[in-house]
Amino acid sequence: MTIATAPYCAISPYCKRKCNPPQCNEAIKDICIDSPYYDMCSLCGRFKHFLSLTCPTGAFKSKHHIERSSDLIFNFRHKRLKQCVTEKDLWHHRYVTYANTHPDTREVYHPLTRWPHQVLVNTVIAAGMLTFCKTYPGLALWQWANQSYQAYIAWNHRNVPSCVSDRQVINSYIIGTAGSIGTAVGLRYVTTKYFKCVPFFVPKLIPLAALLVGNMLAVPALRAQDLKYGVPVYDHLHKRLGASPLAAQNDVHERVIVKNATYFLPLLVTPFVMHPFRRDTYYWICKYPFLRKLLLLSTLGGLFAFSTPFALALFKCPGEMSYCDLERCIRNRVETRLKYQVSPIVYYKSEC
């Protein structure tokens, strides 16, 4: 008589521990993998959640590792998991999947648009803005590069059922680029022509001002259809109540604040940090100029690693607002359907 042996554990190819997948996965069968691991009702919980998504160390995950994590989460969601997975490993694969694949199509994002890579790319773009901020071509080039990158992210991350079309992305790209370049060139022209002596930080803050203006123009242009027709709103039982333009306005305001908060701290603090390390200050900076560039990239990278998840954690996702602030037709529909027994909060899908 032959004795049936359990298969080897599939958590790692180097693990030689024999186990039984149905018994091993008994402890994790009740985990709701579609909900975040952290408490999204608190700022600290949302910060930890987005920190797990945007951590730059995740940029070194291979495409094979990402696809393996995506398949594991897909099989777990459909009760077809055939390998032993601990709760810690399950959440690790969940965050790798969420940070690198599209939630609707399960396709792997382009490397430059994945969440962990955004911190690194924004660091390089911000370094270029601060390094070449004293020339008109440098100002225009790096503002164009930033708006091009943001438009590519918006195109790559848009939802399948979303009404964001290619034309809206192009319009948003053109409006944002024109606004940011025009602001940068205009402020540079004014400071050089009408002010003979300005503080050292004024030229360094021009890219920040131009970037803020570009975001305030690009985000509403990208969400023009939502602002016109509204976004779906739901009650506490996840039942759709209708489409609300007021909820869309609230969401657009939040997205503008999030985008601007991501860049505000790095581009505001870094010029003051780098000012003592001018080329004529220390001998080692004169002898090794690349050390100053390395310090610039390190400062921006550290600040972006903090500001990116912090900005995303400022507002709840999905967004919340009181149903009393919605349109009268939606309020009447809610009160009629639920006979005045309604939660004071309604929810709308925010573009996190």
Side-chain angles (χ1 to χ4, degrees), residues 200-221:
F200 74 93
F201 58 85
V202 171
K204 298 291 184 179
L205 296 182
I206 290 178
L208 173 60
L211 187 144
L212 299 182
V213 172
N215 288 337
M216 287 188 287
L217 294 175
V219 175

Side-chain angles (χ1 to χ4, degrees), residues 121-131 142 207 263 266-267 296 300 304:
V121 177
N122 287 334
T123 299
V124 175
I125 293 176
M129 288 182 178
L130 295 177
T131 303
W142 288 102
Y263 292 91
L267 290 178
L296 175 64
L300 286 170
F304 269 115

Side-chain angles (χ1 to χ4, degrees), residues 1-263:
M1 184 178 68
T2 59
I3 300 176
T5 59
Y8 287 108
C9 179
I11 297 176
S12 171
Y14 304 102
C15 180
K16 299 302 181 181
R17 177 171 56 88
K18 292 184 177 181
C19 56
N20 190 350
Q23 296 179 0
C24 293
N25 296 332
E26 189 71 21
I28 64 173
K29 68 176 184 178
D30 295 330
I31 294 178
C32 183
I33 202 65
D34 294 322
S35 300
Y37 177 76
Y38 301 98
D39 179 21
M40 300 298 284
C41 294
S42 64
L43 178 64
C44 182
R46 293 194 297 272
F47 177 79
K48 292 179 180 179
H49 169 74
F50 288 110
L51 182 63
S52 300
L53 294 178
T54 61
C55 183
T57 57
F60 303 101
K61 304 291 184 183
S62 65
K63 186 176 181 179
H64 173 73
H65 181 80
I66 296 171
E67 291 176 343
R68 179 172 172 267
S69 298
S70 178
D71 293 338
L72 187 144
I73 296 301
F74 181 81
N75 291 332
F76 176 81
R77 186 179 285 115
H78 293 83
K79 310 297 183 182
R80 298 204 301 258
L81 195 60
K82 298 181 180 180
Q83 59 192 61
C84 278
V85 180
T86 63
E87 182 178 357
K88 181 179 178 181
D89 291 322
L90 180 67
W91 284 110
H92 167 73
H93 291 296
R94 171 68 177 88
Y95 276 98
V96 169
T97 302
Y98 189 85
N100 297 280
T101 61
H102 197 283
D104 297 326
T105 62
R106 295 182 60 220
E107 295 181 356
V108 179
Y109 288 133
H110 187 274
L112 293 180
T113 63
R114 299 172 190 170
W115 283 99
H117 290 77
Q118 292 184 27
V119 173
L120 304 179
V121 177
N122 287 334
T123 299
V124 175
I125 293 176
M129 288 182 178
L130 295 177
T131 303
F132 302 99
C133 65
K134 294 185 178 181
T135 62
Y136 292 107
L139 283 171
L141 174 64
W142 288 102
Q143 291 295 332
W144 168 79
N146 176 67
Q147 291 298 329
S148 300
Y149 180 61
Q150 297 301 325
Y152 187 48
I153 291 178
W155 180 81
N156 206 242
H157 284 226
R158 60 180 178 173
N159 299 326
V160 169
S162 176
C163 57
V164 177
S165 61
D166 293 341
R167 184 175 182 179
Q168 283 181 253
V169 175
I170 294 173
N171 290 340
S172 172
Y173 170 60
I174 294 174
I175 294 173
T177 303
S180 59
I181 292 179
T183 302
V185 173
L187 289 177
R188 179 61 183 168
Y189 176 79
V190 170
T191 54
T192 55
K193 184 174 180 62
Y194 298 102
F195 299 94
K196 300 300 181 182
C197 183
V198 295
F200 74 93
F201 58 85
V202 171
K204 298 291 184 179
L205 296 182
I206 290 178
L208 173 60
L211 187 144
L212 299 182
V213 172
N215 288 337
M216 287 188 287
L217 294 175
V219 175
L222 182 66
R223 305 287 300 280
Q225 291 293 104
D226 290 340
L227 292 173
K228 183 178 181 180
Y229 299 106
V231 294
V233 292
Y234 305 87
D235 61 8
H236 61 290
L237 300 177
H238 304 288
K239 295 182 179 179
R240 176 167 173 155
L241 304 175
S244 171
L246 293 178
Q249 294 177 17
N250 194 57
D251 187 30
V252 169
H253 292 160
E254 292 178 358
R255 292 312 102 198
V256 171
I257 294 174
V258 167
K259 276 187 171 294
N260 288 342
T262 302
Y263 292 91

